[in-house]
């Protein structure tokens, strides 16, 4: 049986106060979200939905939303990832990307749909994107570093994932920058940088706004996800 991470069908959720968590209550967390950060200024923006490709169970709904008021607000990109939201750093976040995994899958597939929105929040280096349609992203990486990958979004000490970094064993992604009104299947290959290195962690990440780590995106952009599967074509 091909090894699969838990809750790849996104059917397990529970509500901890106002924070939606993508695992069963009293269960072991595997997937994380930015909800702990988003809920400092508003409601959870990654939530379960009964809008699924099969009409059964739940899917994940990732909403990019401006939370707060005026200068006190910030764009919160809807996201989900294998790992933990470690801490709130002011209005920024510190995340741990990756869960232990030593297999070598060749492809990630699943179902998705997307509603884009004009990019309404920009930052230095992204000013030319204002008004353009937002783009969602789904990506997967296998890494062989000794610990999960630390993500920090505070501009003064920002540390984001580098798909060309030396600890990346394999990487693949798919992006969509237009409306997809009904669920479609997606899939992408994992490009292996090395076939003799054994992975230590798997990172699967999706965001309704490709540049959400920079707080760049379109208010209202929404990504729906369901039924992820890793394939092993040997």
């Amino acid at each position: 049986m091909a090894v699969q991470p838990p809750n790849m069908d996104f059917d397990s959720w529970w509500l901890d106060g106002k924070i939606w968590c993508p695992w069963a209550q009293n269960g072991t967390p595997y997937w994380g979200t930015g909800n702990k950060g988003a809920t400092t200024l508003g409601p959870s923006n990654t939530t379960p939905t009964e809008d699924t490709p099969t009409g059964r169970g739940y899917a994940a709904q990732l909403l990019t939303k401006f939370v707060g008021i005026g200068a006190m607000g910030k764009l919160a990109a809807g996201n989900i990832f294998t790992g933990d939201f470690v801490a709130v750093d002011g209005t920024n976040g510190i995340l741990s990307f990756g869960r232990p995994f030593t297999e070598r899958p060749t492809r990630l597939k699943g179902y998705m749909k997307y509603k884009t929105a004009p990019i309404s929040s920009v930052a230095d280096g992204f000013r030319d994107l204002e008004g353009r349609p937002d783009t969602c992203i789904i990506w997967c990486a296998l890494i062989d570093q000794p610990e999960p990958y630390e993500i920090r979004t505070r501009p003064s000490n920002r540390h984001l994932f580098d798909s060309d970094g030396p600890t990346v064993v394999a990487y693949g992604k798919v992006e969509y920058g237009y409306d997809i009104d009904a669920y479609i299947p997606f899939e992408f290959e994992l490009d292996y940088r090395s076939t003799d290195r054994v992975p230590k962690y798997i990172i699967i990440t999706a965001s309704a706004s490709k540049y959400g780590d920079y707080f760049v995106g379109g208010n209202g952009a929404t990504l729906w996800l369901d039924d992820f599967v890793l394939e092993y074509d040997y």
Side-chain angles (χ1 to χ4, degrees), residues 30-164:
Y30 194 91
W31 295 87
T33 73
N35 283 341
K36 284 186 181 178
T39 54
T40 62
L41 296 170
S44 290
N45 62 334
T46 295
T47 58
T49 175
E50 293 182 343
D51 181 1
T52 71
T54 63
R56 299 185 302 273
Y58 294 97
Q61 178 178 292
L62 286 52
L63 168 66
T64 292
K65 186 175 182 180
F66 187 86
V67 294
I69 300 173
M72 295 298 294
K74 180 169 282 193
L75 187 86
N79 63 76
I80 196 164
F81 56 90
T82 55
D84 292 307
F85 190 104
V86 177
V88 174
D89 181 14
T91 57
N92 301 278
I94 301 173
L95 291 71
S96 173
F97 269 17
R99 293 295 189 189
F101 198 82
T102 58
E103 306 297 318
R104 292 186 177 91
T106 55
R107 181 184 296 109
L108 177 69
K109 67 179 187 178
Y111 290 87
M112 61 79 62
K113 66 176 182 174
Y114 186 55
K115 182 183 75 172
T116 188
I119 292 176
S120 50
S121 295
V122 292
D124 289 344
F126 300 92
R127 302 286 176 189
D128 61 322
L129 297 181
E130 188 168 11
R132 296 186 185 182
D134 207 349
T135 296
C136 68
I137 185 169
I138 306 165
W139 60 268
C140 178
L142 301 170
I143 60 174
D144 65 357
Q145 63 187 46
E147 67 284 317
Y149 203 103
E150 185 180 77
I151 301 293
R152 299 188 301 270
T153 63
R154 178 183 285 276
S156 61
N157 67 343
R158 182 177 282 134
H159 185 250
L160 303 179
F161 185 77
D162 178 8
S163 62
D164 295 317

Side-chain angles (χ1 to χ4, degrees), residues 171-186:
Y171 178 80
K173 68 174 181 176
V174 67
E175 301 177 1
Y176 298 91
Y178 50 86
D179 287 345
I180 300 171
D181 295 330
Y183 278 100
I184 62 168
F186 75 86

